[in-house]
Amino acid sequence: MNQVARRLGKTFALVLPVVLVLSGTLAVTRVPWAVSSSDAQVLTASAKSKQEVAAEAAAKAPQEVLRTRLLAELQQKDPGVALTDLQVAMAHQPSLAKYCASIARSLGRAAVAKYDGATQRAQSWSRPVCDTSFATGVASVG
């Protein structure tokens, strides 16, 4: 029973921030741009200019941009694609090598979550990228 509670807690810990971010992104906020009391002045949070989006991306650390991209790719495709892209990114940007193990562990945990806690299925994607960090991430969930 304790295992079930722990797994459920970890699932909520992974899913809850995503839900909160998405609900905040989709929220509609009233912005008083002018002195008039018109109700037509409504701005959605997703209506950002390209410059604002570029500035936010520039403000994020390169390793976090990579981590976010690879986690999204893992969810859309499979862990193998994300691990291959991690390996390619490490070859193209050696300055990110010190973050490789951390990113690979994150991918391992996300793979287990994607397959509803099936650690064996997630482990089947394991590759020698960043030593055994992906496998360590998978094992840390199970």
Side-chain angles (χ1 to χ4, degrees), residues 33 102 117:
W33 290 107
S102 171

Side-chain angles (χ1 to χ4, degrees), residues 64-82:
E64 292 306 316
V65 172
L66 177 63
R67 181 188 319 267
T68 303
R69 182 176 61 84
L70 293 174
L71 287 170
E73 190 171 57
L74 183 142
Q75 293 302 317
Q76 293 170 357
K77 298 176 183 174
D78 62 60
V81 174

Side-chain angles (χ1 to χ4, degrees), residues 15-25:
V15 173
L16 187 60
V18 174
V19 170
L20 291 174
V21 168
L22 288 176
S23 65
T25 301

Side-chain angles (χ1 to χ4, degrees), residues 76-101:
Q76 293 170 357
K77 298 176 183 174
D78 62 60
V81 174
L83 285 171
T84 299
D85 286 351
L86 175 60
Q87 194 168 14
V88 169
M90 291 302 116
H92 285 33
Q93 292 181 298
S95 62
L96 295 177
K98 61 185 171 185
Y99 305 105
C100 187

